[in-house]
Amino acid sequence: MPVGSDVSAFEDSLVSVLENQPAGSEILVAHDGSYDDPFNLTDEVRFITGQTDQLVDLVASATRQARSRFVHVLAPGFRATSGWIDAALQQFERQDVAAVAPVIRRADSEKIAAAGWGDHGGRLFHPIASGATHVDRGDASHVLGAYLQASFWRREVLSSMAAAFQSRCTSEATYAYGRLLAAGQWRCALAADSVVRQTHDVLAEPANYSRGQRLWAIKKAIDPTTRKVPWSKLLTAILRPGFTETIGQVNGPKMLAEMKSRLQIERAVSSSDHGTIIKLPPKSANKRRRAA
């Protein structure tokens, strides 16, 4: 759990985890050294000091010191719910799953903020099922990645992501990690019965030129088969929301050199590197050996 700059939102998230903490789990709180633990939680929480207050840095610092096979990132602005970990952990029984996306619902309604993200309809890094009240069967097939702020991972895979792509921008890191998973023959699964509540609209990112340019360049840097977006595509996008983002994708090659300089794809753990994956014990045994 990264503290970040919004301490009040962090403490709200922490309370939700303490109230719903699974047996056998460890709570890691990562901060930049400024959090003074006003509630004296050292017996319940392990505090880790990172170099900055940026979410990507704090997640990387905590992951390096985690002891479990699986880690769950829950950032300020999100609340845990009863049993939210159970359905997510079961997804890791599949050997090709390295990350799991919960269903993120708004705190004040049953509307979905995101059920993972994907690339579709000309948009890159688009929240799946946003605005809906339930997850359709086809939604799971469109999931390319999980939002880093609320996501489950094989610990060694997540640790390798920070080493493979250098960025302190949460959206850039989230998109790159999803693309690196695909490059390493991993999958991100959707756990439809794992629910996290969003209390702050921290996932929203307005469509703009810079976003389109950066995301296209990340995609191309990781997947060389990515095609250049033709200018003719602007004709079909001109009347749609996010038109400026499409222009950014067209001009994505101008950012490609920078994104390549941040990327060391060989440092990302691939499915073939992982070797034999030990399956989870039966659910009854999991109650005593849960990891978060």
Side-chain angles (χ1 to χ4, degrees), residues 129-164:
S130 178
T133 56
H134 66 280
V135 179
D136 290 333
R137 283 186 181 181
D139 289 332
S141 63
H142 295 303
V143 174
L144 291 178
Y147 285 91
L148 182 60
Q149 300 98 313
S151 55
F152 297 84
W153 295 81
R154 295 188 188 274
R155 176 183 51 78
E156 70 274 27
V157 176
L158 178 56
S159 184
S160 75
M161 294 291 108

PDB file of all heavy atoms in Angstrom, residues 129-164:
ATOM      1  N   ALA A 129     -15.472  -1.998 -19.600  1.00  0.00           N
ATOM      2  CA  ALA A 129     -16.776  -2.028 -18.926  1.00  0.00           C
ATOM      3  C   ALA A 129     -17.059  -0.765 -18.122  1.00  0.00           C
ATOM      4  O   ALA A 129     -17.924  -0.773 -17.249  1.00  0.00           O
ATOM      5  CB  ALA A 129     -16.901  -3.266 -18.035  1.00  0.00           C
ATOM      6  N   SER A 130     -16.364   0.311 -18.410  1.00  0.00           N
ATOM      7  CA  SER A 130     -16.584   1.553 -17.676  1.00  0.00           C
ATOM      8  C   SER A 130     -18.015   2.053 -17.861  1.00  0.00           C
ATOM      9  O   SER A 130     -18.503   2.154 -18.982  1.00  0.00           O
ATOM     10  CB  SER A 130     -15.603   2.628 -18.162  1.00  0.00           C
ATOM     11  OG  SER A 130     -15.823   3.855 -17.500  1.00  0.00           O
ATOM     12  N   GLY A 131     -18.697   2.347 -16.750  1.00  0.00           N
ATOM     13  CA  GLY A 131     -20.062   2.836 -16.800  1.00  0.00           C
ATOM     14  C   GLY A 131     -21.120   1.751 -16.760  1.00  0.00           C
ATOM     15  O   GLY A 131     -22.295   2.034 -16.530  1.00  0.00           O
ATOM     16  N   ALA A 132     -20.712   0.499 -16.957  1.00  0.00           N
ATOM     17  CA  ALA A 132     -21.655  -0.614 -16.904  1.00  0.00           C
ATOM     18  C   ALA A 132     -21.902  -1.020 -15.451  1.00  0.00           C
ATOM     19  O   ALA A 132     -21.195  -0.591 -14.540  1.00  0.00           O
ATOM     20  CB  ALA A 132     -21.126  -1.799 -17.708  1.00  0.00           C
ATOM     21  N   THR A 133     -22.882  -1.870 -15.239  1.00  0.00           N
ATOM     22  CA  THR A 133     -23.149  -2.372 -13.888  1.00  0.00           C
ATOM     23  C   THR A 133     -22.763  -3.830 -13.719  1.00  0.00           C
ATOM     24  O   THR A 133     -22.751  -4.349 -12.608  1.00  0.00           O
ATOM     25  CB  THR A 133     -24.634  -2.217 -13.530  1.00  0.00           C
ATOM     26  OG1 THR A 133     -25.437  -2.883 -14.523  1.00  0.00           O
ATOM     27  CG2 THR A 133     -25.030  -0.737 -13.469  1.00  0.00           C
ATOM     28  N   HIS A 134     -22.440  -4.498 -14.828  1.00  0.00           N
ATOM     29  CA  HIS A 134     -21.980  -5.882 -14.734  1.00  0.00           C
ATOM     30  C   HIS A 134     -20.943  -6.148 -15.824  1.00  0.00           C
ATOM     31  O   HIS A 134     -20.848  -5.409 -16.804  1.00  0.00           O
ATOM     32  CB  HIS A 134     -23.151  -6.863 -14.862  1.00  0.00           C
ATOM     33  CG  HIS A 134     -23.804  -6.855 -16.215  1.00  0.00           C
ATOM     34  ND1 HIS A 134     -24.721  -5.891 -16.597  1.00  0.00           N
ATOM     35  CD2 HIS A 134     -23.663  -7.691 -17.279  1.00  0.00           C
ATOM     36  CE1 HIS A 134     -25.130  -6.137 -17.830  1.00  0.00           C
ATOM     37  NE2 HIS A 134     -24.496  -7.217 -18.269  1.00  0.00           N
ATOM     38  N   VAL A 135     -20.193  -7.201 -15.630  1.00  0.00           N
ATOM     39  CA  VAL A 135     -19.144  -7.570 -16.577  1.00  0.00           C
ATOM     40  C   VAL A 135     -19.696  -8.594 -17.555  1.00  0.00           C
ATOM     41  O   VAL A 135     -20.182  -9.659 -17.147  1.00  0.00           O
ATOM     42  CB  VAL A 135     -17.922  -8.162 -15.835  1.00  0.00           C
ATOM     43  CG1 VAL A 135     -16.840  -8.567 -16.829  1.00  0.00           C
ATOM     44  CG2 VAL A 135     -17.378  -7.160 -14.831  1.00  0.00           C
ATOM     45  N   ASP A 136     -19.648  -8.286 -18.840  1.00  0.00           N
ATOM     46  CA  ASP A 136     -20.109  -9.219 -19.866  1.00  0.00           C
ATOM     47  C   ASP A 136     -19.095 -10.342 -20.071  1.00  0.00           C
ATOM     48  O   ASP A 136     -17.917 -10.209 -19.726  1.00  0.00           O
ATOM     49  CB  ASP A 136     -20.327  -8.490 -21.194  1.00  0.00           C
ATOM     50  CG  ASP A 136     -21.523  -7.546 -21.143  1.00  0.00           C
ATOM     51  OD1 ASP A 136     -22.441  -7.813 -20.349  1.00  0.00           O
ATOM     52  OD2 ASP A 136     -21.515  -6.545 -21.879  1.00  0.00           O
ATOM     53  N   ARG A 137     -19.553 -11.424 -20.675  1.00  0.00           N
ATOM     54  CA  ARG A 137     -18.659 -12.554 -20.937  1.00  0.00           C
ATOM     55  C   ARG A 137     -17.460 -12.151 -21.776  1.00  0.00           C
ATOM     56  O   ARG A 137     -16.342 -12.605 -21.563  1.00  0.00           O
ATOM     57  CB  ARG A 137     -19.414 -13.667 -21.673  1.00  0.00           C
ATOM     58  CG  ARG A 137     -20.328 -14.481 -20.785  1.00  0.00           C
ATOM     59  CD  ARG A 137     -20.903 -15.638 -21.588  1.00  0.00           C
ATOM     60  NE  ARG A 137     -21.806 -16.435 -20.775  1.00  0.00           N
ATOM     61  CZ  ARG A 137     -22.432 -17.522 -21.225  1.00  0.00           C
ATOM     62  NH1 ARG A 137     -22.261 -17.907 -22.487  1.00  0.00           N
ATOM     63  NH2 ARG A 137     -23.239 -18.193 -20.425  1.00  0.00           N
ATOM     64  N   GLY A 138     -17.718 -11.288 -22.754  1.00  0.00           N
ATOM     65  CA  GLY A 138     -16.637 -10.915 -23.660  1.00  0.00           C
ATOM     66  C   GLY A 138     -15.620  -9.970 -23.058  1.00  0.00           C
ATOM     67  O   GLY A 138     -14.526  -9.803 -23.601  1.00  0.00           O
ATOM     68  N   ASP A 139     -15.958  -9.343 -21.930  1.00  0.00           N
ATOM     69  CA  ASP A 139     -15.042  -8.364 -21.338  1.00  0.00           C
ATOM     70  C   ASP A 139     -13.701  -8.980 -20.969  1.00  0.00           C
ATOM     71  O   ASP A 139     -12.646  -8.374 -21.167  1.00  0.00           O
ATOM     72  CB  ASP A 139     -15.673  -7.725 -20.093  1.00  0.00           C
ATOM     73  CG  ASP A 139     -16.827  -6.788 -20.441  1.00  0.00           C
ATOM     74  OD1 ASP A 139     -16.809  -6.227 -21.555  1.00  0.00           O
ATOM     75  OD2 ASP A 139     -17.724  -6.621 -19.608  1.00  0.00           O
ATOM     76  N   ALA A 140     -13.746 -10.181 -20.415  1.00  0.00           N
ATOM     77  CA  ALA A 140     -12.503 -10.825 -19.977  1.00  0.00           C
ATOM     78  C   ALA A 140     -11.529 -11.029 -21.129  1.00  0.00           C
ATOM     79  O   ALA A 140     -10.312 -10.925 -20.958  1.00  0.00           O
ATOM     80  CB  ALA A 140     -12.811 -12.158 -19.312  1.00  0.00           C
ATOM     81  N   SER A 141     -12.048 -11.282 -22.320  1.00  0.00           N
ATOM     82  CA  SER A 141     -11.185 -11.540 -23.468  1.00  0.00           C
ATOM     83  C   SER A 141     -10.485 -10.279 -23.966  1.00  0.00           C
ATOM     84  O   SER A 141      -9.508 -10.361 -24.721  1.00  0.00           O
ATOM     85  CB  SER A 141     -11.982 -12.157 -24.622  1.00  0.00           C
ATOM     86  OG  SER A 141     -12.980 -11.257 -25.082  1.00  0.00           O
ATOM     87  N   HIS A 142     -10.976  -9.110 -23.558  1.00  0.00           N
ATOM     88  CA  HIS A 142     -10.391  -7.849 -24.002  1.00  0.00           C
ATOM     89  C   HIS A 142      -9.345  -7.293 -23.032  1.00  0.00           C
ATOM     90  O   HIS A 142      -8.699  -6.294 -23.332  1.00  0.00           O
ATOM     91  CB  HIS A 142     -11.491  -6.798 -24.199  1.00  0.00           C
ATOM     92  CG  HIS A 142     -12.457  -7.128 -25.286  1.00  0.00           C
ATOM     93  ND1 HIS A 142     -12.076  -7.368 -26.586  1.00  0.00           N
ATOM     94  CD2 HIS A 142     -13.817  -7.261 -25.265  1.00  0.00           C
ATOM     95  CE1 HIS A 142     -13.138  -7.636 -27.321  1.00  0.00           C
ATOM     96  NE2 HIS A 142     -14.205  -7.579 -26.540  1.00  0.00           N
ATOM     97  N   VAL A 143      -9.185  -7.946 -21.885  1.00  0.00           N
ATOM     98  CA  VAL A 143      -8.267  -7.430 -20.867  1.00  0.00           C
ATOM     99  C   VAL A 143      -6.824  -7.660 -21.284  1.00  0.00           C
ATOM    100  O   VAL A 143      -6.388  -8.796 -21.507  1.00  0.00           O
ATOM    101  CB  VAL A 143      -8.529  -8.086 -19.500  1.00  0.00           C
ATOM    102  CG1 VAL A 143      -7.471  -7.638 -18.490  1.00  0.00           C
ATOM    103  CG2 VAL A 143      -9.911  -7.733 -18.994  1.00  0.00           C
ATOM    104  N   LEU A 144      -6.069  -6.567 -21.385  1.00  0.00           N
ATOM    105  CA  LEU A 144      -4.630  -6.657 -21.652  1.00  0.00           C
ATOM    106  C   LEU A 144      -3.808  -6.410 -20.391  1.00  0.00           C
ATOM    107  O   LEU A 144      -2.672  -6.861 -20.291  1.00  0.00           O
ATOM    108  CB  LEU A 144      -4.228  -5.641 -22.725  1.00  0.00           C
ATOM    109  CG  LEU A 144      -4.732  -5.890 -24.137  1.00  0.00           C
ATOM    110  CD1 LEU A 144      -4.282  -4.775 -25.073  1.00  0.00           C
ATOM    111  CD2 LEU A 144      -4.233  -7.237 -24.656  1.00  0.00           C
ATOM    112  N   GLY A 145      -4.384  -5.681 -19.445  1.00  0.00           N
ATOM    113  CA  GLY A 145      -3.629  -5.375 -18.237  1.00  0.00           C
ATOM    114  C   GLY A 145      -4.533  -4.911 -17.116  1.00  0.00           C
ATOM    115  O   GLY A 145      -5.731  -4.666 -17.308  1.00  0.00           O
ATOM    116  N   ALA A 146      -3.943  -4.800 -15.928  1.00  0.00           N
ATOM    117  CA  ALA A 146      -4.649  -4.299 -14.745  1.00  0.00           C
ATOM    118  C   ALA A 146      -4.085  -2.940 -14.381  1.00  0.00           C
ATOM    119  O   ALA A 146      -2.894  -2.671 -14.602  1.00  0.00           O
ATOM    120  CB  ALA A 146      -4.463  -5.272 -13.583  1.00  0.00           C
ATOM    121  N   TYR A 147      -4.925  -2.084 -13.844  1.00  0.00           N
ATOM    122  CA  TYR A 147      -4.437  -0.789 -13.375  1.00  0.00           C
ATOM    123  C   TYR A 147      -3.513  -1.022 -12.181  1.00  0.00           C
ATOM    124  O   TYR A 147      -3.895  -1.698 -11.215  1.00  0.00           O
ATOM    125  CB  TYR A 147      -5.606   0.113 -12.990  1.00  0.00           C
ATOM    126  CG  TYR A 147      -6.332   0.664 -14.195  1.00  0.00           C
ATOM    127  CD1 TYR A 147      -7.409  -0.016 -14.743  1.00  0.00           C
ATOM    128  CD2 TYR A 147      -5.908   1.839 -14.802  1.00  0.00           C
ATOM    129  CE1 TYR A 147      -8.072   0.470 -15.865  1.00  0.00           C
ATOM    130  CE2 TYR A 147      -6.558   2.345 -15.920  1.00  0.00           C
ATOM    131  CZ  TYR A 147      -7.633   1.655 -16.450  1.00  0.00           C
ATOM    132  OH  TYR A 147      -8.278   2.140 -17.570  1.00  0.00           O
ATOM    133  N   LEU A 148      -2.313  -0.484 -12.250  1.00  0.00           N
ATOM    134  CA  LEU A 148      -1.324  -0.723 -11.207  1.00  0.00           C
ATOM    135  C   LEU A 148      -1.869  -0.351  -9.834  1.00  0.00           C
ATOM    136  O   LEU A 148      -1.550  -0.998  -8.831  1.00  0.00           O
ATOM    137  CB  LEU A 148      -0.044   0.081 -11.507  1.00  0.00           C
ATOM    138  CG  LEU A 148       1.123  -0.092 -10.532  1.00  0.00           C
ATOM    139  CD1 LEU A 148       1.573  -1.551 -10.474  1.00  0.00           C
ATOM    140  CD2 LEU A 148       2.285   0.815 -10.930  1.00  0.00           C
ATOM    141  N   GLN A 149      -2.709   0.674  -9.748  1.00  0.00           N
ATOM    142  CA  GLN A 149      -3.215   1.162  -8.465  1.00  0.00           C
ATOM    143  C   GLN A 149      -4.054   0.117  -7.714  1.00  0.00           C
ATOM    144  O   GLN A 149      -4.196   0.193  -6.495  1.00  0.00           O
ATOM    145  CB  GLN A 149      -4.060   2.420  -8.657  1.00  0.00           C
ATOM    146  CG  GLN A 149      -3.309   3.579  -9.284  1.00  0.00           C
ATOM    147  CD  GLN A 149      -3.554   3.672 -10.770  1.00  0.00           C
ATOM    148  OE1 GLN A 149      -3.476   2.665 -11.483  1.00  0.00           O
ATOM    149  NE2 GLN A 149      -3.851   4.856 -11.263  1.00  0.00           N
ATOM    150  N   ALA A 150      -4.617  -0.840  -8.429  1.00  0.00           N
ATOM    151  CA  ALA A 150      -5.441  -1.879  -7.807  1.00  0.00           C
ATOM    152  C   ALA A 150      -5.250  -3.152  -8.628  1.00  0.00           C
ATOM    153  O   ALA A 150      -6.010  -3.419  -9.558  1.00  0.00           O
ATOM    154  CB  ALA A 150      -6.912  -1.472  -7.763  1.00  0.00           C
ATOM    155  N   SER A 151      -4.233  -3.918  -8.309  1.00  0.00           N
ATOM    156  CA  SER A 151      -3.868  -5.056  -9.145  1.00  0.00           C
ATOM    157  C   SER A 151      -3.207  -6.161  -8.325  1.00  0.00           C
ATOM    158  O   SER A 151      -2.672  -5.916  -7.251  1.00  0.00           O
ATOM    159  CB  SER A 151      -2.907  -4.608 -10.253  1.00  0.00           C
ATOM    160  OG  SER A 151      -1.766  -3.951  -9.697  1.00  0.00           O
ATOM    161  N   PHE A 152      -3.262  -7.376  -8.844  1.00  0.00           N
ATOM    162  CA  PHE A 152      -2.636  -8.542  -8.227  1.00  0.00           C
ATOM    163  C   PHE A 152      -1.533  -9.055  -9.154  1.00  0.00           C
ATOM    164  O   PHE A 152      -1.711  -9.072 -10.375  1.00  0.00           O
ATOM    165  CB  PHE A 152      -3.663  -9.657  -8.017  1.00  0.00           C
ATOM    166  CG  PHE A 152      -4.776  -9.305  -7.068  1.00  0.00           C
ATOM    167  CD1 PHE A 152      -5.892  -8.598  -7.517  1.00  0.00           C
ATOM    168  CD2 PHE A 152      -4.722  -9.684  -5.744  1.00  0.00           C
ATOM    169  CE1 PHE A 152      -6.925  -8.284  -6.646  1.00  0.00           C
ATOM    170  CE2 PHE A 152      -5.755  -9.377  -4.868  1.00  0.00           C
ATOM    171  CZ  PHE A 152      -6.855  -8.671  -5.315  1.00  0.00           C
ATOM    172  N   TRP A 153      -0.434  -9.539  -8.567  1.00  0.00           N
ATOM    173  CA  TRP A 153       0.718  -9.952  -9.367  1.00  0.00           C
ATOM    174  C   TRP A 153       1.454 -11.142  -8.759  1.00  0.00           C
ATOM    175  O   TRP A 153       1.452 -11.309  -7.537  1.00  0.00           O
ATOM    176  CB  TRP A 153       1.741  -8.808  -9.469  1.00  0.00           C
ATOM    177  CG  TRP A 153       1.274  -7.608 -10.197  1.00  0.00           C
ATOM    178  CD1 TRP A 153       0.490  -6.590  -9.709  1.00  0.00           C
ATOM    179  CD2 TRP A 153       1.574  -7.265 -11.552  1.00  0.00           C
ATOM    180  NE1 TRP A 153       0.272  -5.647 -10.675  1.00  0.00           N
ATOM    181  CE2 TRP A 153       0.935  -6.032 -11.821  1.00  0.00           C
ATOM    182  CE3 TRP A 153       2.325  -7.864 -12.554  1.00  0.00           C
ATOM    183  CZ2 TRP A 153       1.014  -5.407 -13.056  1.00  0.00           C
ATOM    184  CZ3 TRP A 153       2.409  -7.246 -13.785  1.00  0.00           C
ATOM    185  CH2 TRP A 153       1.762  -6.029 -14.029  1.00  0.00           C
ATOM    186  N   ARG A 154       2.103 -11.910  -9.630  1.00  0.00           N
ATOM    187  CA  ARG A 154       3.178 -12.776  -9.158  1.00  0.00           C
ATOM    188  C   ARG A 154       4.326 -11.833  -8.769  1.00  0.00           C
ATOM    189  O   ARG A 154       4.717 -10.978  -9.556  1.00  0.00           O
ATOM    190  CB  ARG A 154       3.636 -13.737 -10.251  1.00  0.00           C
ATOM    191  CG  ARG A 154       2.572 -14.747 -10.662  1.00  0.00           C
ATOM    192  CD  ARG A 154       3.118 -15.805 -11.607  1.00  0.00           C
ATOM    193  NE  ARG A 154       2.027 -16.630 -12.107  1.00  0.00           N
ATOM    194  CZ  ARG A 154       1.532 -17.696 -11.488  1.00  0.00           C
ATOM    195  NH1 ARG A 154       2.059 -18.063 -10.339  1.00  0.00           N
ATOM    196  NH2 ARG A 154       0.543 -18.378 -12.007  1.00  0.00           N
ATOM    197  N   ARG A 155       4.824 -11.997  -7.568  1.00  0.00           N
ATOM    198  CA  ARG A 155       5.763 -11.025  -7.023  1.00  0.00           C
ATOM    199  C   ARG A 155       6.982 -10.818  -7.909  1.00  0.00           C
ATOM    200  O   ARG A 155       7.380  -9.682  -8.189  1.00  0.00           O
ATOM    201  CB  ARG A 155       6.224 -11.463  -5.627  1.00  0.00           C
ATOM    202  CG  ARG A 155       7.286 -10.548  -5.011  1.00  0.00           C
ATOM    203  CD  ARG A 155       7.759 -11.061  -3.674  1.00  0.00           C
ATOM    204  NE  ARG A 155       8.159 -12.451  -3.722  1.00  0.00           N
ATOM    205  CZ  ARG A 155       9.327 -12.881  -4.221  1.00  0.00           C
ATOM    206  NH1 ARG A 155      10.195 -12.024  -4.710  1.00  0.00           N
ATOM    207  NH2 ARG A 155       9.616 -14.166  -4.222  1.00  0.00           N
ATOM    208  N   GLU A 156       7.595 -11.902  -8.373  1.00  0.00           N
ATOM    209  CA  GLU A 156       8.824 -11.747  -9.144  1.00  0.00           C
ATOM    210  C   GLU A 156       8.577 -11.074 -10.496  1.00  0.00           C
ATOM    211  O   GLU A 156       9.447 -10.384 -11.029  1.00  0.00           O
ATOM    212  CB  GLU A 156       9.531 -13.097  -9.333  1.00  0.00           C
ATOM    213  CG  GLU A 156       8.843 -14.091 -10.257  1.00  0.00           C
ATOM    214  CD  GLU A 156       7.792 -14.930  -9.553  1.00  0.00           C
ATOM    215  OE1 GLU A 156       7.220 -14.477  -8.542  1.00  0.00           O
ATOM    216  OE2 GLU A 156       7.539 -16.057 -10.028  1.00  0.00           O
ATOM    217  N   VAL A 157       7.369 -11.255 -11.041  1.00  0.00           N
ATOM    218  CA  VAL A 157       7.045 -10.611 -12.312  1.00  0.00           C
ATOM    219  C   VAL A 157       6.897  -9.101 -12.113  1.00  0.00           C
ATOM    220  O   VAL A 157       7.456  -8.302 -12.874  1.00  0.00           O
ATOM    221  CB  VAL A 157       5.765 -11.202 -12.934  1.00  0.00           C
ATOM    222  CG1 VAL A 157       5.389 -10.453 -14.201  1.00  0.00           C
ATOM    223  CG2 VAL A 157       5.955 -12.691 -13.243  1.00  0.00           C
ATOM    224  N   LEU A 158       6.149  -8.706 -11.091  1.00  0.00           N
ATOM    225  CA  LEU A 158       5.978  -7.273 -10.842  1.00  0.00           C
ATOM    226  C   LEU A 158       7.309  -6.603 -10.529  1.00  0.00           C
ATOM    227  O   LEU A 158       7.584  -5.496 -11.010  1.00  0.00           O
ATOM    228  CB  LEU A 158       5.006  -7.050  -9.687  1.00  0.00           C
ATOM    229  CG  LEU A 158       4.762  -5.593  -9.283  1.00  0.00           C
ATOM    230  CD1 LEU A 158       4.292  -4.758 -10.460  1.00  0.00           C
ATOM    231  CD2 LEU A 158       3.761  -5.517  -8.133  1.00  0.00           C
ATOM    232  N   SER A 159       8.152  -7.265  -9.759  1.00  0.00           N
ATOM    233  CA  SER A 159       9.454  -6.695  -9.435  1.00  0.00           C
ATOM    234  C   SER A 159      10.276  -6.457 -10.701  1.00  0.00           C
ATOM    235  O   SER A 159      10.974  -5.446 -10.828  1.00  0.00           O
ATOM    236  CB  SER A 159      10.210  -7.625  -8.481  1.00  0.00           C
ATOM    237  OG  SER A 159      11.431  -7.060  -8.080  1.00  0.00           O
ATOM    238  N   SER A 160      10.161  -7.370 -11.645  1.00  0.00           N
ATOM    239  CA  SER A 160      10.931  -7.233 -12.883  1.00  0.00           C
ATOM    240  C   SER A 160      10.394  -6.128 -13.785  1.00  0.00           C
ATOM    241  O   SER A 160      11.131  -5.556 -14.593  1.00  0.00           O
ATOM    242  CB  SER A 160      10.957  -8.559 -13.649  1.00  0.00           C
ATOM    243  OG  SER A 160       9.716  -8.820 -14.294  1.00  0.00           O
ATOM    244  N   MET A 161       9.113  -5.803 -13.645  1.00  0.00           N
ATOM    245  CA  MET A 161       8.518  -4.761 -14.482  1.00  0.00           C
ATOM    246  C   MET A 161       9.181  -3.405 -14.246  1.00  0.00           C
ATOM    247  O   MET A 161       9.487  -2.657 -15.182  1.00  0.00           O
ATOM    248  CB  MET A 161       7.017  -4.645 -14.217  1.00  0.00           C
ATOM    249  CG  MET A 161       6.183  -5.840 -14.606  1.00  0.00           C
ATOM    250  SD  MET A 161       6.059  -6.103 -16.393  1.00  0.00           S
ATOM    251  CE  MET A 161       7.100  -7.545 -16.574  1.00  0.00           C
ATOM    252  N   ALA A 162       9.405  -3.081 -12.961  1.00  0.00           N
ATOM    253  CA  ALA A 162      10.019  -1.796 -12.632  1.00  0.00           C
ATOM    254  C   ALA A 162      11.441  -1.712 -13.160  1.00  0.00           C
ATOM    255  O   ALA A 162      11.932  -0.634 -13.507  1.00  0.00           O
ATOM    256  CB  ALA A 162      10.002  -1.583 -11.120  1.00  0.00           C
ATOM    257  N   ALA A 163      12.117  -2.853 -13.226  1.00  0.00           N
ATOM    258  CA  ALA A 163      13.481  -2.877 -13.756  1.00  0.00           C
ATOM    259  C   ALA A 163      13.491  -2.782 -15.277  1.00  0.00           C
ATOM    260  O   ALA A 163      14.434  -2.254 -15.870  1.00  0.00           O
ATOM    261  CB  ALA A 163      14.183  -4.163 -13.310  1.00  0.00           C
ATOM    262  N   ALA A 164      12.415  -3.267 -15.905  1.00  0.00           N
ATOM    263  CA  ALA A 164      12.374  -3.311 -17.365  1.00  0.00           C
ATOM    264  C   ALA A 164      11.930  -2.002 -18.002  1.00  0.00           C
ATOM    265  O   ALA A 164      12.275  -1.721 -19.155  1.00  0.00           O
ATOM    266  CB  ALA A 164      11.451  -4.441 -17.823  1.00  0.00           C
TER     267      ALA A 164
END
